Structure formats: C-alpha cells, structure tokens
Amino acid sequence: MVNQPLASIHPDAKIADGVIIDPFVYVAADVEIGEGTHLFPGAVVLDGARIGRNCKIHPGAVIAGEPQDLKFKGEKTTALIGDNTTIRECATVNRGTASKGTTIVGSNCLIMAYSHIAHDCVIGDNVICSNDCQVAGEVVIDHHAVIGGGSLIHQFCHIGAHVMMQGGSLVNKDVPPYIICARNPISYTGINFVGLRRRGFTPEQIASLQEIYRIIFNSDMNTSVALEAVEQQIPESDFRNEIVEFIRNSQRGILKGNNY
C-alpha cells in the first residue's frame, strides 16, 4: 500500500500490497481490499466492503453504505466487488440486509457515475451500468448485460445475460437473456445481434435465438403455450433451455413483445 497521510485508514482494515490510496480517502475497519486496487481522492469504503484486485474506485464513490431499507436493523452484512471492476464518480453500492446478507458486483464490471446498486443485488461479471442507473433492492443482473444510462430497475427484477437495455428505461418486469429492450412500457425489440457477434456467438446460434423469441413474442400464443412450442420446435441447446427456464421461473412476469 502507498502510504498516504492525508487519507483516513482504520488500522484494522485488511489492505493488500500494491493498493494505491489517494488523499482524502476514508477506509473503515471491517474492510478488505485486494492487490492493485486504486482508491481515488474522496472515495469512501465503509464497514462490510470486500473489494477485489485491480479495481478502481473513483472520487465520491461510496462502497458498503448502509442499506436504504427500513427493515435494516444494523446487522453485519457485506458488499462484494469482484476483480478488475471500476466504480465511477459518486456511484454507490450499498451492503446487504438480513434478506440475503450481501450485495454482489462481479468482476470486470463498469458502474458509471451516479449509479446506485441497492441492498442484496447480484450483478454478474462483465456488466455495464451506464451513468445514473438506479438499481433497486434484490435485483439480479446476469453477466454481460448492458444497462443504458438513466434506467430505473424495480426491486426484485431479473435482467438476463447479454441484454442490451435502452437508456432511460423503466423496468418493472423481468427481461429474458440475449435481447434488446426499449420503449415505455419496456418491451422486446429484437435480438442483441451486435453484442452476441462481438462475444463469439455463431450465426447459427443467433438464428436459433431469433426463432425462439419469434415464437415467444410474435406468434400470438400465451407465454406457457409458446414455451411448449419452443421445446417442440427448437432443437435442445443450453441457450434454449436457459431461456425457457428463465421465463418459467420469472416471479414478476416478463416484458411485453414488440407487437403489443
């Protein structure tokens, strides 16, 4: 760790070698920070923070603040940040509550300025939350999702892997994987072709995903019947099974199709 006399670092904090701490940083006692992480001026790291290696915590960001939940009674909980994740200016990641005990932001994520990750959320690896995203409590965002700036995500929603979400979206339903969603109310607008190609999906895989969602959203079947049709008409694959399982397990129901 670089010695920084203008920072306030509790002696009980567990800080690995190679951590850079700039002036005016605050680090509480029950904190663990991995090797190579950089805390920029004005970053605040509170009790319960567990920050991985090679992260960047920018000015004004607050990690492991108390949950904004009236049921919170001061229980000991945590906020976990994976390796190689960047938390930009004035973003906040609250720690968990008794509900789940921890808030998780995965590895290789980018949480842009003024975004908020509430208590007990689970954010997968390689997720991008653009500026001013507001993610309510116990939301799950799966890996490689991209959340457009200014989006508001209702508590308990589930955003699937490889989703691309339009900026300014108001999300109160679950969003299945591999799609683009936009409009108000939030709705399916197509497959995330560009993102999937960039991540090595083959044309055949993308065509299969497109056919699955054609059946689900554009066949005039109700959801349960459409899922049965998908299982009958589309050859079994990990992708097909993932989509069917996601929708069948949805607690809030899924977003609308593009022909509502």
Side-chain angles (χ1 to χ4, degrees), residues 138-223:
E138 302 193 47
V139 165
V140 175
I141 303 178
D142 291 336
H143 62 92
H144 289 95
V146 178
I147 312 300
S151 294
L152 307 177
I153 303 178
H154 194 280
Q155 61 187 5
F156 304 113
C157 282
H158 186 181
I159 311 299
H162 299 280
V163 161
M164 171 67 76
M165 183 178 295
Q166 180 186 47
S169 293
L170 306 178
V171 184
N172 59 4
K173 297 289 185 181
D174 292 345
V175 180
Y178 308 111
I179 70 170
I180 297 174
C181 56
R183 301 181 181 175
N184 186 15
I186 192 74
S187 59
Y188 166 80
T189 58
I191 298 297
N192 185 11
F193 289 106
V194 173
L196 296 174
R197 286 171 183 152
R198 287 174 176 170
R199 295 172 199 133
F201 283 69
T202 67
E204 293 76 19
Q205 289 171 331
I206 293 172
S208 179
L209 291 170
Q210 188 173 27
E211 181 62 14
I212 290 170
Y213 281 114
R214 184 196 65 77
I215 295 171
I216 292 170
F217 287 120
N218 299 116
S219 63
D220 296 324
M221 303 178 192
N222 67 40
T223 300

Side-chain angles (χ1 to χ4, degrees), residues 2 40 43 60 157 161 189 199 212 220 228 232 236-237 239 244 253:
V2 174
F40 288 80
C157 282
T189 58
R199 295 172 199 133
I212 290 170
D220 296 324
E228 291 175 1
Q232 293 168 3
E236 183 173 6
S237 67
F239 305 128
V244 170

Side-chain angles (χ1 to χ4, degrees), residues 16-19 32-38 50-57 81-86 106-109:
D17 293 337
V19 173
E32 298 177 11
I33 302 175
E35 184 177 355
T37 286
H38 187 172
R50 305 288 185 266
I51 301 175
R53 296 172 298 167
N54 302 315
C55 294
K56 295 181 179 179
I57 313 299
I81 311 294
D83 298 337
N84 306 305
T85 284
T86 295
S107 296
N108 305 303
C109 292

Side-chain angles (χ1 to χ4, degrees), residues 112-116 129-135 147-153 165-171:
M112 294 190 192
Y114 292 95
S115 291
H116 174 65
C129 288
S130 301
N131 292 311
D132 198 29
C133 289
Q134 306 299 304
V135 183
I147 312 300
S151 294
L152 307 177
I153 303 178
M165 183 178 295
Q166 180 186 47
S169 293
L170 306 178
V171 184

